[in-house]
Amino acid sequence: MSLRLLVTGATGQVGWQLHRTLAPLGEVIPSTRTEVDLADPEATAKLVRDLVPDAVVNAAAYTNVEKAESEPELAHAINADAPGRIAEVLARTGGLLIHYSTDYVFDGTKSGPYDESDPAGPLNVYGQTKLAGEQKIAASGCAHIILRTSWIYDTRGKNFLRTVLRLAREREELRMVGDQHGAPTWARAIAEATAQIVARCAQRRDRSSWGYGGIFHMTAAGQTTWASFAQQILEEYESLAAWPADTGEFGSPLTAKRVVRITSDLYKTAARRPHNSVLSNEKLQATFGLHLPDWRVLLRLALQDAVR
Ligand SMILES: NC(=O)c1ccc[n+]([C@@H]2O[C@H](COP(=O)([O-])OP(=O)(O)OC[C@H]3O[C@@H](n4cnc5c(N)ncnc54)[C@H](OP(=O)(O)O)[C@@H]3O)[C@@H](O)[C@H]2O)c1
């Protein structure tokens, strides 16, 4: 069956990759800020009403965790009101909503990985608005799958991987937070797993249901800290021995060789972040048979992809 799929946030890390991974499933309609501004939830609802997609994959979000502290209303409109309105329209048309949420819905006090039934308790505005988005979608009654993921990076866009490589060309030594634990996850792995979930839902679809629903955690396997992630980036980058000449930023040498661990209290930020936001992926595996590889494996694949 060929699906009509609306992807919001098509210029973002996950949205960009979705445009490619969803292509085999039917018609992909990529939407950017030019087509619709999610800060205007009514305009967003109108876009969905006009296009009548089989499914919306909402990869657009207000993702600047720091800035959200000073723009809570805008972040709420984009992360909660707009997804809520998309969900209300889909509840009427029978469409499916795939939506992304975050590990930052948790307060980080649990000692092990969080599962989907653990109570949320966001520490910052971004996490609060993403949690509110989850709640509005659930309340709408539309068929939905909410994928909570974490620490997203890619070889394009604004993210930790590219920041580390830039700083590592400018400095001798990097200082990174070593007391926050999570799972860095490559945007492409998220987009590929999402495409498999959409395909599975489409197979199960009948007049009244898409077969699956609810919240699922979806991150790379394993866990690390920002400091260890940065160290691994430096090592993986150096280990890619034969650089082709035309690899642009991914071909130039690094000056920094090591990462110094610091504690969160030495790195002052506007937004508080959880010390532990590792998510258990057991439900995703049990339901869809999906298991994302270890974060180190995905990091290597992402870097190899950038230089080959
Ligand atoms: N990044 C992370 O580490 C992380 C971690 C956990 C969960 N998530 C969630 O995963 C999802 C995908 O994140 P990502 O990292 O791919 O995000 P991203 O790279 O920051 O991209 C966000 C996308 O949303 C678009 N957008 C922002 N405000 C908009 C508005 N007012 N109207 C229309 N479009 C707007 C951006 O468009 P412009 O290019 O025009 O700005 C961009 O295309 C989001 O739901 C995010 O909350 C992210």
Side-chain angles (χ1 to χ4, degrees), residues 9-15 32-33 36-39 58-63 78 99-103 126 130 149-152 158:
T11 54
Q13 301 186 84
V14 174
T32 69
R33 215 183 267 266
V36 70
D37 184 349
L38 268 72
N58 182 32
Y62 185 114
T63 54
I78 296 168
H99 176 79
Y100 298 98
S101 189
T102 174
D103 53 333
Y126 168 73
K130 294 295 290 184
T149 186
S150 64
W151 297 22
I152 301 177
K158 194 164 179 283

Side-chain angles (χ1 to χ4, degrees), residues 274-286:
H275 283 286
N276 168 35
S277 62
V278 179
L279 305 182
S280 162
N281 287 256
E282 278 177 25
K283 185 179 169 194
L284 184 83
Q285 178 150 30

Side-chain angles (χ1 to χ4, degrees), residues 7 10 13-24 26 28-31 191:
V7 175
Q13 301 186 84
V14 174
W16 175 268
Q17 298 283 0
L18 281 168
H19 195 177
R20 286 140 191 81
T21 62
L22 293 173
V28 180
I29 307 167
S31 153

Side-chain angles (χ1 to χ4, degrees), residues 288-306:
F288 295 106
L290 289 172
H291 176 79
L292 271 57
D294 185 88
W295 67 271
R296 282 162 290 224
V297 173
L298 291 178
L299 173 62
R300 180 170 301 172
L301 291 174
L303 286 171
Q304 285 175 349
D305 190 65

